[in-house]
Amino acid sequence: MSVSSSRTSRGRIRGRGRGSIAVVPAVLSALLVMAAGCHRGESGVGPDERHTANAERGDPSPLLGAGELGADWHADDARTGLASWPWEQDSCPNYKSSDYPAKSHRRAAVERYYRLSDGSSSAHHVVETYEPGWAERNVDDVRRVLLRCATYPVLGSQVSFDVVDPQYLEGTAMLVRGRIARADTPNTVTYFVMVKRGETVSTVRLPDPGSRAVVDEIAARAVARLG
């Protein structure tokens, strides 16, 4: 299936024509959020399996400013509580949260949501700090999620992930493409950039800008934010 067409205009990530994210039905927009890691309650999973019970909200300075995504992006309303692990996939039949132990060893986490002025698209950035040695294990957990949940059906659509570049940004990051396919609707594509530096992991989710160069620019800004 072909990737939806899109373009970048005046610093804004936006869709065009049949590939416009703005014309994706609400059900697919909801699926995109689910694929990005938002989760529903999972029977038998305690809070310590989703995040460290005593983890704290982190320093927000490593988070991208809305303007770093483009001129028409704005920071969304602040969310309360600790940021969820960005790779939760509760709709995937092969996913069990307790199989991924690294997230229970987070010391701190902070997140920011973004939206375009016209509300057509959203983005997300989360920065997590892990206990010594657990950031690398988190990367291993993410790789396992991407293998076990490489593709799965949800409400008549097919969610899939593929690793575009496992050694992105000279080996400091991973670039992943998520896709939601439905027979009567153009594909919805989202990019994920995960950067590990020491015990800190930064994960950016953004809608397909139609240009790898734009993805690279935003990824480089996320890396720079880590100092």
Side-chain angles (χ1 to χ4, degrees):
M1 297 182 182
S2 62
V3 179
S4 58
S5 61
S6 54
R7 65 188 175 97
T8 303
S9 175
R10 295 188 300 276
R12 172 180 176 177
I13 300 173
R14 59 185 300 178
R16 180 179 64 183
R18 297 184 67 250
S20 172
I21 295 175
V23 302
V24 175
V27 64
L28 286 189
S29 296
L31 285 172
L32 181 58
V33 173
M34 291 164 62
C38 291
H39 56 81
R40 61 177 183 271
E42 183 176 333
S43 176
V45 176
D48 59 327
E49 292 181 355
R50 291 202 180 280
H51 55 72
T52 308
N54 61 353
E56 300 176 351
R57 293 180 66 85
D59 175 9
S61 62
L63 294 172
L64 290 168
E68 292 177 276
L69 298 183
D72 291 340
W73 284 94
H74 303 277
D76 209 340
D77 295 337
R79 311 295 172 100
T80 59
L82 187 67
S84 298
W85 192 52
W87 298 96
E88 297 279 5
Q89 297 296 322
D90 290 352
S91 295
C92 171
N94 296 324
Y95 183 85
K96 183 179 179 183
S97 185
S98 58
D99 288 343
Y100 307 93
K103 62 180 178 293
S104 66
H105 292 270
R106 301 193 302 178
R107 284 183 166 174
V110 63
E111 67 183 341
R112 181 171 292 154
Y113 286 85
Y114 314 84
R115 57 181 172 76
L116 280 173
S117 298
D118 61 8
S120 61
S121 297
S122 64
H124 179 239
H125 187 193
V126 57
V127 177
E128 306 160 294
T129 302
Y130 285 82
E131 295 171 2
W134 283 96
E136 184 61 39
R137 298 186 194 186
N138 172 70
V139 174
D140 292 338
D141 281 357
V142 172
R143 291 193 181 108
R144 283 199 298 274
V145 170
L146 294 172
L147 285 174
R148 295 181 184 178
C149 298
T151 182
Y152 59 90
V154 179
L155 300 176
S157 297
Q158 194 72 18
V159 174
S160 61
F161 297 95
D162 62 276
V163 179
V164 178
D165 189 347
Q167 297 295 318
Y168 189 49
L169 299 179
E170 300 181 350
T172 63
M174 181 188 302
L175 178 63
V176 177
R177 179 171 53 236
R179 190 191 313 263
I180 297 174
R182 189 177 174 90
D184 57 352
T185 307
N187 290 351
T188 299
V189 176
T190 300
Y191 282 95
F192 302 80
V193 177
M194 184 179 70
V195 180
K196 174 186 170 296
R197 176 168 290 180
E199 296 302 330
T200 299
V201 179
S202 171
T203 305
V204 178
R205 166 176 61 87
L206 65 150
D208 179 17
S211 167
R212 173 64 182 271
V214 173
V215 175
D216 293 347
E217 289 173 5
I218 293 174
R221 291 168 188 156
V223 171
R225 280 278 179 169
L226 295 178

